[in-house]
Amino acid sequence: MDKYQQSQKNKLFKTPAHDPYCLPRVEGSAICSQCGAAYQAGNWTWKIPENTVIHDAQSMICPACRRISDSKPAGTLTLSGSFLLEHLNEIINLIKNTEEQEKAEHALERLISLTDSDGALIVTTTGIHLANRLGHAIEAAFKGHADYQYNDDEYGLSVSWTRDE
Ligand SMILES: [Zn+2]
């Protein structure tokens, strides 16, 4: 896909191409001093490929840890409806298990917090992919209805899920 096609695709889905927290791109290698994630060949990972030696890695804070300390989620899910209160533990377990899987593959996709707000559960994430995956996992497991809204001006995704009865 060339740059033009890429920009058309981005317009179509209204998904900003880059997380501003990932910019500017780091030169060389780095290690996050908070979570230990490593930056190598343009990606943040948990595991450095074998036989790779990181030379002169800079110590810095990774984009996910910065979002957590700034309380600036990229993804927000708002879960509501009477079904939620009756199945709260199952839903929270699904959210945590889904995060474990996503985070293992993508070091920057993490949960920030789960907060109770007037009978709704607000879930915030460091990445939009985790928010998207959580929305689909909840729909697949518990039915209900989810709505996905990509922000136009700021990099982010808001998911609203609800199920009554
Ligand atoms: Zn980190």
Side-chain angles (χ1 to χ4, degrees), residues 126-137:
T126 57
I128 61 174
H129 300 289
L130 177 58
N132 187 51
R133 183 166 171 175
L134 285 171
H136 287 99

Side-chain angles (χ1 to χ4, degrees), residues 110-128:
R110 305 176 202 165
L111 283 175
I112 301 178
S113 64
L114 281 75
T115 337
D116 176 21
S117 165
D118 275 334
L121 180 67
I122 314 289
V123 181
T124 53
T125 66
T126 57
I128 61 174

